[in-house]
Structure formats: structure tokens, C-alpha cells
Amino acid sequence: MRIHRLEIQAFGPFAGREVVDFDELGAQGLFLLNGSTGAGKTSVLDAIAYALYGQVPGARQGTSGQLRSHHAGEGVGPEVLCEFSAGGRRLEVQRKPEWMRPVKRGQGTTREQASTQLREQTADGWEVKSTRNDEAAAEIQGLLGMTMAQFTKVVLLAQGDFAAFLRATAEERQTLLQKLFGTDIYKDLEVRLTAESRQANTDVAAGLNELAATQQLARSQSAPTLAADVAAQAQASPPEQDTDAVDIAELAGLELFAELGRQVALAVAAAQGRAAQAEQQHDHLEEAVRDAQARSARHTALASAVAEQLRLAGLAEQSRLWRHQQEQHHEAQVLAAVVDAAVTTSQAGQQARAMVASAAASFSTNEVAVALLGQPVDTAGASALETVDRELTTQLAAVAAVLPDEVRLGEKTTLLAGNRSSLSLVLTLQQEQGEAVGAARTRLDQIQGQLTALREGAQSVELTQQAAQQAESLVHTIIEHTAQQLLVTHLAEAESSARGQALDAKETWLQAFDRRLSQVAGELAADLVDGDPCQVCGSTVHPDPSPLASSGADLPKAEKAAKQAHELAEKMANTARTELAQGQSTLAVLVERGGTGKLNDAQDAVVQATMAHERASKTVSEIAALAAEAATHEEHLAAARSAGLAAAERAAALSATNAALGQEIELLNEQLTLARDGYPSLALRQAALTQAQVPADALLRAVRERGTAMQAQEAAAIALTQALAASDFSDVAQVKEALLSPSEAAAVDKDLKDYTRAVAVNADRLAAADAVLAAQEAAANVPVPTVAELEALRSAAKDAQTHARAGAVALGLAESAAGQLAATEISFRKLEATVAPLRERAALLAGLADVVRGSGDNRYKMTLTSYVLAARLEQVAQAASLRLSTMSDARYTLRHSDAKTGGNRKSGLGLEVVDQWTGVSRDTATLSGGESFMASLSLALGLSDVVQQESGGLDMETLFVDEGFGSLDEQSLEQVMDALEGLRDGGRMIGLVSHVAEMKTRIPMHLHVLKGRSGSTLTVGSLE
């Protein structure tokens, strides 16, 4: 994978658009990425990672919504474009992070969503492959074959992390390796296996508990049946005994179920025998009870029928009287209707004559009706009254036909009056709207003049506000610069003092170290023997042995104390140097922001800018108020013009309508005068005709009803005379006497029917088979059971029934227990088949969990995570040794160790450095500063090789190496550079991130990050 071009816009510290041509930059294989602290070197690498994976690495993950540069101009969106080649393909990915852009209209911001475009170069040019974030990420990751975490480890070799790795303990080293290789999956597997082992043991215990519960359930299910069987056997004569019985308390498993099944089966068979015997006894007694009850019932029924026969014989004479009354009543009912009709028609004739007299009196009081009749009321017949009724109906119809005209006349009159009032109001409104148009036009001219004057002298509110903010910011910057300048002075003094103390402490330690070396050399020289090899150089000749420097025992302690004091002083000096650099960097930023200016001038500028902003804001408010007032007057002017035109049109329409209404009202008045016939209104004439129609109609109906009633009365009298002549009755009185009331007639009818039915029913009873059989038994002196004898038989049968039911219940319980026991045995067998594999799985998981936790049969006491990390560490150490051997002139290699770290601690993550010159291996923490850098750089390169191999072997042609070159001497630096030169083989491009001055002269091509007040910029070329 090789990066060709990178474009950055409004991203991180870069405000504008920065373009880096990596083909030009890496033409010689090596280039230097340098710049002051905070300039944005890391942001260049972040931009590459974001372009490829859509996120930034490390602690900056999750800040995708804050990637836009604070220095970018308004409306400039963040963007990263990276052109790269991998796997024989050349692609270009462009990503735009999410940001808040200004709205296109008005004020405020809106969220601009993140976007992605992935293009590939083909023979026809650039072809768009995807515009979706997830699709582009999947395409790139599939092509590179590694995650972002792996990519950042391969591309950016973090020498600093591995320098800490060399000095770390085994536990600290495991933590660092887990971060580098991401072995959480193996740690999760350890936890999962432990949890599954614990759960498997729980499942086995639960299964055993279920088996025990199932066996106890079987005992509980069979216990009542077996106990009942034992009790029944004890009552048997002679008692029954099971010679094969076994104590079930001593049995378990399938043996328990077999014995329980056998005993329950015997109990079921015994219960069946007892139930059958009890049922047979009950059936015999029930038959005896039924026979005795039937014989007793037959004789009782015979005695009752004989007694009823005697009673009915005494009622024979009374029944003949009832029949005569019933016949007389039926004949009188036939004549009753004729008698009632004669009486009713006589009464109706009298009422009809009275109604005619009353209606004639009412008719005489109505002048209109009397005038229309034209003769005395007493002599008027039905035909004259019908003529009056027709005349009244005709006149009412004529009046009703013209009534709507009278209503319309009132409506037209009211409408004319309203229109005349409306016309007056409309004319007044027309005049008022004309005056309003003139006033609005005058005020609009005044407002337009004021607006023109204000706009000519107005200033931009945004510009004046920005100027005020910049002035206030400059005041704060000057104040901060003054305070920072004092702080830098104090930090410089503290750094100078700490540097002097560190030099003094180093000199003291070197003197103590020289004394210690002299002592060791003297001690070794004292042990030299001619002919024996020297322990240092191996020579057997000792021409100039070192004199014994000292024999004191305090020199090692003094040297150690001096070394500790030197290290502490050096650490304090480095801290003071870092704090001074940070303070100077902050001071430089404040200088670039104008912090060296005069405070009084800046404060005066704030006052002037604030006043200008207030004046501009006031002018804008006045313009807005006048504009709003002008808009209001424009609306009023338009409304007044529209209302005036509408009023003129309305006035013309009302004048024409009023003239037409006047003509129509005059014509209606002429027509209605004729129709009223002297009445003030048609309604009054209609009321008079309606009042006359009421008595005329009543009199006509009364005369007609009187004629009908007289005819009915005569017909009814004739019909009554004829009916009496044809009956057994001589007059109406005899008819009424023979008639019975409904209740009396019903009582006679009921008594007669009851007597007839009782005679027939009793005859049937005497002829019934049971009565005949009872008579025969009485004649043969067959005994009839008494009540006491019947009760005794019923009691014996009831006892037998209770005994039979108890036997049936006992049999049902026994059979139910047998069924439940069989079902429980099936469940037990299924459970037993389930628990067996649970035991095997629990044993397997327990062994696995112990092994991955580093216990049990694990000889090295290594957890699974440590084992995997040890394998990775061994691969990294082997790859790193190739690099370290080159850098150290074939002196050092790295070796992984799985030895225990002491006591019963777990092993697997040891790392040793092997000195090929002496053949001695030692802890990596004993390496010097330069040696540590070479070893850590080798580890970083080794890690890159291992991760690259794991991700599919994709060749990474672009690499970045982090800081650390300042700790190397000239020779070591030369060796390290030779190793880095070797990385260029095959066309690799190596970027070194360093502040070392010598590196700037050794590497001609630079990617320099320049920071400034308005953001950072990138330049490519040789740094003079």
C-alpha cells in the first residue's frame, strides 16, 4: 500500500487547503516530517487515517464532529482526500466530516452530514465506486486487509510505546501487548469458559436434584395406594400376605421404579377383586328393594282407586244440574246480542238529537255562517248546510292563494327601507376612504425620505460586532502575554538552575563510577596469574596490571547513591526544560496574536469599537421600525383604495335596486285591496272564514249522525221482537235471568269437566295391570311389605352402595397411581439420559477453564491470553532481532522467555537482550538510552512486519517512524540510519518524525508543518 497524494482542508489546525505530493516527497525513499510542538504533525497522520477509515486513531476517537479547523473561514467545510494504491489498484477517497455550516438564508447554522466518495482509476479515467460511508470503509478495509488499529501500528511505528515496553514488568508488558494486538477475545474466552464451567456444574447439580425429586415423587405417588392395600389386606379373612415384598426405602434408580411398579400392580389387582364383589352385593340388594317397593305401590294405588269410585257415585245427581244450567246459559247468550243492540241504538238516537240542538245554537251566533245559509237554522237540512260548507271552503282557498303576496309586500317594504339606510352609509364610507388615501400617501413620502437618510450613513452590524470582539480579544491577549512573559522568565531561571544541578550531579556520579571501576580493575588485577586467561580480555599475558585502587566497601553504595542523585536531577532538568518549552510556545502564540501591543491603546479601541457597534445596531433598529411602519401604511393605502372603489360600486347598485322595489310595492298594494274584501288584512278575513267554518261543519255532522241513529234504532227493535218469538223466553227479563256471569259460567263448566275427567281416569286406574295384579294378590293373601320392612331394605342397599363406591374409588386411585408411576418412570429415564452428557460436559469445561486460567495441568501457569501474547511476542522478537542486529553492529538480538518470574507467578511474557559479543543474556531494562532506542525501534519494525503478515501480507510502501533519535550517539545514529535505509528496499517511502537538528541535515526532503495565528500550513522541499 503506497500513499501518492494527500489534500487537507479546514481539518484540525489546517485552515486552508493543503496538498502533499508524496510521490515527490518520497522520491529518495526518506523524508522528514518536522515542525514545532502543536503545529500539526500528528494531524497529518490523523488525516490519512480518517481518509481511509473514517475515524481518527488513539484518544481522539469519537471526535468526528469536532474535526473542523477553528481557523477556517466561514462557510469552508472540512475535507480530506487521499490518493493511494494497493493490490494493483489505484484509488482516491474523499471524506467530509460532519460540521455545522451557516444557513443559506438568515442567521444561524445547520448540521451538514458526513459524506464519502470512493473513486478508482481505470483506463477510461476515474470511476466512482461508492458514495456511502459504510460501503467505502468495507471496500478499503477489504483491500488493505487490516483494521484501523492494525494500520496505525504498521504505518506509524510508535517507538515511544516500545521504549516503555522494554522497561516494563511482566504485568505491565501484558497490558501493553493487549493494547497492541487486541487480544480481548482470548480474555473473553477465559471468562466465558469459567462461566460455562460454573454453569455446567450448576446444571449437573440441578439434574441430580431433579432425579432425586423424581424418585421421591414416585414414592409419594405409590404410598397411598400401597397403604390402602395393606389396610384392606389386614381386614380380609384370612389376611393376605406378599412374601416377595422389599423395603423400597433401601432402593434407588430403576430398581426402585421396578419394585414400586410390582407392588402397585398387585394392589390394583386386589382392588379390582374387592370392587367387583362389593358391586355384586349392591346389585342384589337393589333388586330386592325395587320388588318390595313395586308391590307396596300396587296395593296403595288399588285402594286409592276404589275410594275414588265411591266418591264419584255420590256426585252423579249434581252433575245433571250443572249440565241444565250450562244449556240455559248458552241459549240466553244467543239472544243477548240482539237485546244489547236494541238498548244501544235507543240511547244513540237520544244523543244525536241533543247534539243537533247544541250545534244549531252555536251556528246561530256566527254572522258569516248565518248570512251564507240564507234561511232559519231550525228548518235547514243537510243539503243547505253542505252548500254553506262548500262556499266557505272556496273563499278560504281564494284567500290562501293571495296570502304570499301580502307577505312579499311586507318583505319588499322592509328591504326598501334597509336599502335606503345602506345607501346613506355607503356614500359616507366612500368619502372617508378618499380622505384616508390622501393621508397615507403623505406619510409614506415622509418615511421614504427618513429611510434614505439613515441608509446612507449606516454601518454593517456584523462588521462592527466582529471589530468589537477582535478588540476585546486583543486586550485579553495583551494581558495574557504580560503574565506569560513573567512566567517564562521564572521558568528560564528554574531551567538554568536545574540544568546546572544536573551537570554537577552527573560529574559527581562519573567520578564515583571511575573510582568504582578502578576498584574493580584493581581487584581483578590482584587475581591475575601468569599463564591463566584474563576474565576481561582472555589474554594469558599480563604486562601492565592495574594497581589496586581501594579496598573500601563503601564505593558501590556511594556510586549507586550518586547515580540515583544524577537520575533525579536529570529528570528534574528535563521537566524544567519541558515546562520552559511549553511556556515559550504559549508566549510565541500570544506574540503572533498581537500580545506585544499597548494595553491602553487596545482598551481605547474596545471602547470605540463598542460605541460604533451600538450606533450601527441603533441605526438598524430605526431602519427596521421605519420599514415596518412604511409596510403598514402601504397596506392601509391599498385597503383604502380598494374600499373606496367597493363603496362606489355598492352605491350604484343600491340606487338601481331601490327604484325597482318601489314599482313592485305599488302593484302589490292594488291587488291585495281587492282580495281583503273590506278587512284590514287577508289574515283577518281568513280568520273570520275559518271561525264560520267550525260551527257550520259541526252542525252538518250532527244532522247527518241524527238520521243514521234513527234508522239504526228502528231496525234493532224489529230484530228483538223476532228473536223472542223464536226462543223459549217470553221477554227480556227471562233472558237476563238465564245468563250467568263469566265466573259463574266458568265454574259450572269446570265442575262438569272435572267430574267427567275423574270418572274416566278412575276407570283407567281400576283397569290398569298393577291394579288387576294387586286385586289378584289380595285375593291370594299375598303379604304387602310394611314401611319398616321397606326402610330396612333401603338402608341395607345404601350401605352396599357406599361400600361398592368406596371399592371403585380405591380401584380408580390405584389405577391412577399406576399410571402416574409409569409416567414418572419415563420422566426419570429421560432425565437420567440428560444428566449423563451434562456430567461429561462439566468435566470437560472444568479442565478447559483450569488450563486457560493457568492452573490445573498447565505446567507454565500461563493463561490463554498470556500464551497468545507470548506467541505474538516471540514473533515480534524474532523479526525485531534482524533489525537490532543491523543497528547494533551484530551485537544485540532479542529473545522471548517463558520462564516464571519468581515464586508461583505465571510465566510467558519475559523478554531478554542477548549480547552476541559476550554470549550473555540480560533484562532489556539494563540497556542504555541509545541501545533502548535501537531496541524499541526494532520492536516497532518487528511489530509492523508481524501485523502486516497477519493482515494478508500486503506490502506497506509508506511508513512513519516516531521520535527518539535524540538519544543516539553519532555511531549509533549512523547504524540506525543504515537500518532505515534498508527499509527503502523495494521502493518503500519512510517518513521520520523528529526534532533532531542532525536529522534535518542528513535527510534532504522535508514535510514541514508551520503554525501561525490563522492556522497551520504544509510545505514540501529542502529546509535551509
Side-chain angles (χ1 to χ4, degrees):
M1 182 269 188
R2 185 179 187 90
I3 300 175
H4 299 287
R5 180 168 56 93
L6 178 68
E7 296 185 14
I8 307 173
Q9 173 181 291
F11 185 89
F14 304 105
R17 192 170 191 87
E18 307 296 330
V19 180
V20 180
D21 186 348
F22 279 96
D23 290 336
E24 175 189 356
L25 182 65
Q28 299 181 15
L30 283 176
F31 68 89
L32 185 67
L33 174 60
N34 65 357
S36 59
T37 301
K41 298 187 295 296
T42 303
S43 296
V44 174
L45 305 178
D46 287 347
I48 296 174
Y50 184 79
L52 296 176
Y53 291 94
Q55 52 183 320
V56 293
R60 298 175 299 283
Q61 289 187 14
T63 60
S64 58
Q66 306 174 10
L67 296 179
R68 182 176 182 269
S69 175
H70 296 165
H71 302 283
E74 184 177 358
V76 179
E79 177 186 338
V80 176
L81 183 145
C82 180
E83 182 181 343
F84 65 97
S85 58
R89 301 167 62 186
R90 187 155 182 155
L91 298 101
E92 176 192 89
V93 58
Q94 179 189 47
R95 292 188 188 270
K96 296 180 180 180
E98 176 185 289
W99 67 293
M100 301 300 294
R101 66 168 177 81
V103 295
K104 296 180 180 179
R105 295 181 179 179
Q107 297 181 351
T109 59
T110 183
R111 187 178 304 278
E112 183 78 14
Q113 298 296 334
S115 62
T116 301
Q117 184 185 64
L118 179 64
R119 301 195 303 169
E120 182 174 6
Q121 190 177 43
T122 63
D124 299 329
W126 288 97
E127 176 185 349
V128 177
K129 301 292 291 182
S130 175
T131 57
R132 289 180 51 180
N133 296 333
D134 53 350
E135 287 183 353
E139 178 79 15
I140 295 173
Q141 184 168 336
L143 181 62
L144 300 182
M146 62 182 79
T147 63
M148 189 188 74
Q150 293 174 321
F151 177 81
T152 54
K153 295 182 183 69
V154 171
V155 172
L156 176 59
L157 305 180
Q159 175 270 338
D161 290 345
F162 283 94
F165 180 80
L166 289 173
R167 298 186 295 271
T169 62
E171 291 79 6
E172 295 170 341
R173 190 169 291 150
Q174 178 170 344
T175 302
L176 291 172
L177 285 173
Q178 286 176 337
K179 291 181 180 179
L180 291 172
F181 288 103
T183 56
D184 292 339
I185 183 176
Y186 302 104
K187 186 66 177 177
D188 294 341
L189 181 58
E190 296 174 15
V191 175
R192 179 181 173 184
L193 283 174
T194 301
E196 289 188 0
S197 176
R198 189 180 300 111
Q199 183 60 43
N201 290 330
T202 302
D203 293 342
V204 170
L208 293 176
N209 290 335
E210 289 187 21
L211 286 174
T214 304
Q215 296 179 71
Q216 183 59 37
L217 175 62
R219 291 188 177 94
S220 300
Q221 290 171 339
S222 58
T225 298
L226 295 179
D229 184 60
V230 170
Q233 290 177 6
Q235 295 176 0
S237 180
E240 302 172 4
Q241 298 247 343
D242 183 4
T243 58
D244 297 330
V246 179
D247 186 4
I248 60 175
E250 300 176 358
L251 300 178
L254 294 177
E255 293 180 355
L256 171 65
F257 281 95
E259 179 58 25
L260 287 176
R262 189 188 68 81
Q263 293 185 17
V264 169
L266 292 175
V268 170
Q272 288 175 341
R274 290 190 291 270
Q277 183 180 2
E279 186 65 27
Q280 184 178 5
Q281 180 66 21
H282 170 251
D283 291 344
H284 174 71
L285 289 174
E286 281 291 333
E287 182 65 26
V289 169
R290 286 194 294 271
D291 184 63
Q293 287 178 338
R295 188 163 62 254
S296 176
R298 286 196 300 270
H299 286 271
T300 301
L302 177 60
S304 176
V306 171
E308 178 67 10
Q309 186 179 32
L310 295 174
R311 185 184 72 83
L312 293 173
L315 291 175
E317 182 62 29
Q318 182 63 38
S319 67
R320 288 190 291 271
L321 179 59
W322 289 336
R323 191 172 303 278
H324 175 73
Q325 285 182 327
Q326 188 179 52
E327 292 173 354
Q328 289 289 306
H329 172 68
H330 288 165
E331 188 176 0
Q333 279 184 319
V334 174
L335 294 175
V338 179
V339 173
D340 291 341
V343 175
T344 301
T345 54
S346 176
Q347 294 174 351
Q350 294 177 359
Q351 291 177 354
R353 289 189 290 272
M355 288 178 61
V356 168
S358 175
S362 177
F363 184 89
S364 300
T365 61
N366 190 284
E367 296 178 355
V368 176
V370 171
L372 289 174
L373 181 59
Q375 64 180 17
V377 178
D378 297 340
T379 60
S383 60
L385 292 173
E386 288 172 356
T387 301
V388 172
D389 182 66
R390 283 193 299 272
E391 182 62 24
L392 287 172
T393 301
T394 300
Q395 292 187 18
L396 280 172
V399 171
V402 295
L403 272 176
D405 291 341
E406 189 174 51
V407 174
R408 191 163 69 254
L409 175 62
E411 291 174 350
K412 298 294 183 181
T413 302
T414 303
L415 179 60
L416 178 61
N419 283 354
R420 288 172 177 171
S421 176
S422 298
L423 178 61
S424 176
L425 293 175
V426 167
L427 292 175
T428 302
L429 177 61
Q430 185 177 5
Q431 182 180 0
E432 291 174 351
Q433 294 303 321
E435 296 172 355
V437 168
R441 184 69 268 169
T442 301
R443 179 54 185 159
L444 279 174
D445 294 340
Q446 295 173 353
I447 291 174
Q448 191 61 42
Q450 294 175 354
L451 283 173
T452 301
L454 287 174
R455 285 169 178 163
E456 289 175 355
Q459 290 182 318
S460 172
V461 176
E462 290 79 6
L463 293 177
T464 56
Q465 182 181 15
Q466 185 177 3
Q469 292 174 347
Q470 291 175 351
E472 291 178 356
S473 176
L474 180 60
V475 170
H476 293 310
T477 301
I478 293 173
I479 295 173
E480 291 177 5
H481 176 268
T482 302
Q484 188 67 23
Q485 199 170 27
L486 293 175
L487 178 61
V488 168
T489 301
H490 293 313
L491 289 175
E493 295 173 355
E495 190 274 338
S496 177
S497 175
R499 186 171 66 251
Q501 292 175 3
L503 292 174
D504 294 341
K506 184 175 182 180
E507 182 65 25
T508 302
W509 171 59
L510 291 176
Q511 293 175 359
F513 186 69
D514 289 340
R515 288 193 297 271
R516 173 60 180 153
L517 291 179
S518 298
Q519 179 193 23
V520 172
E523 291 175 352
L524 292 174
D527 294 334
L528 291 176
V529 177
D530 290 338
D532 292 341
C534 176
Q535 297 181 14
V536 177
C537 63
S539 176
T540 57
V541 179
H542 317 297
D544 188 17
S546 175
L548 184 62
S550 175
S551 60
D554 294 333
L555 287 179
K557 295 181 179 179
E559 188 269 335
K560 182 177 181 180
K563 182 179 180 182
Q564 292 176 346
H566 162 60
E567 291 176 347
L568 178 61
E570 187 68 27
K571 182 178 180 181
M572 295 177 63
N574 289 335
T575 302
R577 188 160 45 250
T578 300
E579 292 177 351
L580 177 59
Q582 293 175 348
Q584 290 173 340
S585 176
T586 303
L587 184 62
V589 171
L590 293 173
V591 170
E592 292 177 359
R593 293 178 180 175
T596 57
K598 294 182 179 180
L599 181 60
N600 291 336
D601 294 342
Q603 290 174 339
D604 292 342
V606 169
V607 174
Q608 295 297 328
T610 303
M611 293 175 63
H613 175 60
E614 292 175 353
R615 287 193 299 271
S617 299
K618 182 178 179 182
T619 301
V620 169
S621 299
E622 291 176 354
I623 291 174
L626 287 172
E629 185 181 356
T632 301
H633 283 292
E634 288 284 359
E635 293 176 357
H636 291 170
L637 179 60
R641 286 173 176 170
S642 177
L645 292 174
E649 293 174 357
R650 178 63 175 162
L654 286 174
S655 298
T657 301
N658 290 346
L661 284 174
Q663 294 176 0
E664 188 175 358
I665 289 171
E666 184 178 355
L667 179 61
L668 286 173
N669 274 325
E670 293 176 358
Q671 295 174 353
L672 290 174
T673 300
L674 296 175
R676 288 176 183 140
D677 193 23
Y679 286 90
S681 67
L682 288 176
L684 292 177
R685 186 185 177 195
Q686 185 182 41
L689 293 173
T690 302
Q691 291 175 0
Q693 193 177 34
V694 172
D697 184 62
L699 181 58
L700 177 60
R701 286 199 309 274
V703 170
R704 288 173 177 171
E705 289 175 1
R706 182 183 62 186
T708 302
M710 294 302 295
Q711 292 175 0
Q713 182 178 1
E714 293 176 359
I718 295 170
L720 176 59
T721 302
Q722 293 174 350
L724 286 175
S727 68
D728 294 335
F729 301 106
S730 59
D731 54 22
V732 174
Q734 289 182 355
V735 174
K736 291 182 178 181
E737 184 180 356
L739 280 174
L740 297 175
S741 65
S743 59
E744 292 174 341
V748 171
D749 184 65
K750 180 179 180 302
D751 291 340
L752 188 58
K753 288 180 179 180
D754 289 345
Y755 174 77
T756 304
R757 184 168 50 253
V759 171
V761 168
N762 198 56
D764 292 339
R765 290 170 63 189
L766 288 171
D770 284 346
V772 173
L773 179 57
Q776 293 174 355
E777 288 174 345
N781 294 322
V782 175
V784 179
T786 63
V787 175
E789 290 172 343
L790 283 174
E791 188 61 32
L793 281 174
R794 291 192 187 98
S795 179
K798 185 175 182 181
D799 292 341
Q801 182 184 32
T802 301
H803 188 59
R805 288 178 178 174
V809 170
L811 175 59
L813 292 175
E815 291 175 343
S816 176
Q820 291 175 353
L821 183 62
T824 303
E825 182 178 359
I826 294 173
S827 299
F828 179 83
R829 291 179 182 273
K830 291 181 180 179
L831 280 173
E832 195 170 40
T834 304
V835 171
L838 289 179
R839 289 195 186 98
E840 296 175 1
R841 184 173 184 272
L844 175 63
L845 288 175
L848 286 175
D850 288 341
V851 170
V852 300
R853 288 199 306 265
S855 57
D857 295 335
N858 191 328
R859 180 164 58 89
Y860 287 101
K861 303 299 181 182
M862 293 175 63
T863 65
L864 177 61
T865 303
S866 299
Y867 178 79
V868 173
L869 292 177
R872 294 291 189 271
L873 181 59
E874 186 174 7
Q875 293 174 338
V876 172
Q878 291 174 356
S881 294
L882 299 177
R883 312 288 188 186
L884 182 58
S885 178
T886 301
M887 295 181 189
S888 63
D889 198 14
R891 179 178 181 181
Y892 294 118
T893 59
L894 295 173
R895 182 174 65 191
H896 161 252
S897 173
D898 57 5
K900 295 182 179 179
T901 57
N904 195 31
R905 294 183 179 179
K906 298 177 180 179
S907 59
L909 297 179
L911 188 64
E912 299 174 338
V913 59
V914 180
D915 191 339
Q916 301 293 338
W917 291 1
T918 63
V920 177
S921 60
R922 51 194 172 97
D923 192 276
T924 54
T926 62
L927 294 172
S928 66
E931 293 170 341
S932 295
F933 170 75
M934 290 189 294
S936 61
L937 179 58
S938 299
L939 282 172
L941 294 171
L943 171 66
S944 175
D945 294 339
V946 171
V947 173
Q948 182 175 333
Q949 182 180 2
E950 287 185 350
S951 62
L954 182 68
D955 189 13
M956 299 302 298
E957 299 181 17
T958 304
L959 296 176
F960 292 89
V961 180
D962 201 356
E963 283 281 12
F965 299 94
S967 61
L968 300 177
D969 56 26
E970 183 176 356
Q971 181 181 359
S972 298
L973 180 60
E974 186 68 31
Q975 294 170 346
V976 170
M977 291 300 297
D978 290 342
L980 293 175
E981 289 284 347
L983 294 177
R984 297 190 300 173
D985 296 343
R988 275 187 177 178
M989 177 173 56
I990 312 299
L992 304 182
V993 184
S994 177
H995 295 279
V996 177
E998 188 176 351
M999 300 290 286
K1000 299 179 182 179
T1001 61
R1002 291 178 63 96
I1003 302 174
M1005 291 303 296
H1006 297 173
L1007 175 59
H1008 191 59
V1009 186
L1010 299 173
K1011 68 178 180 180
R1013 185 174 182 181
S1014 58
S1016 298
T1017 58
L1018 294 174
T1019 59
V1020 177
S1022 177
L1023 186 65
E1024 299 296 338

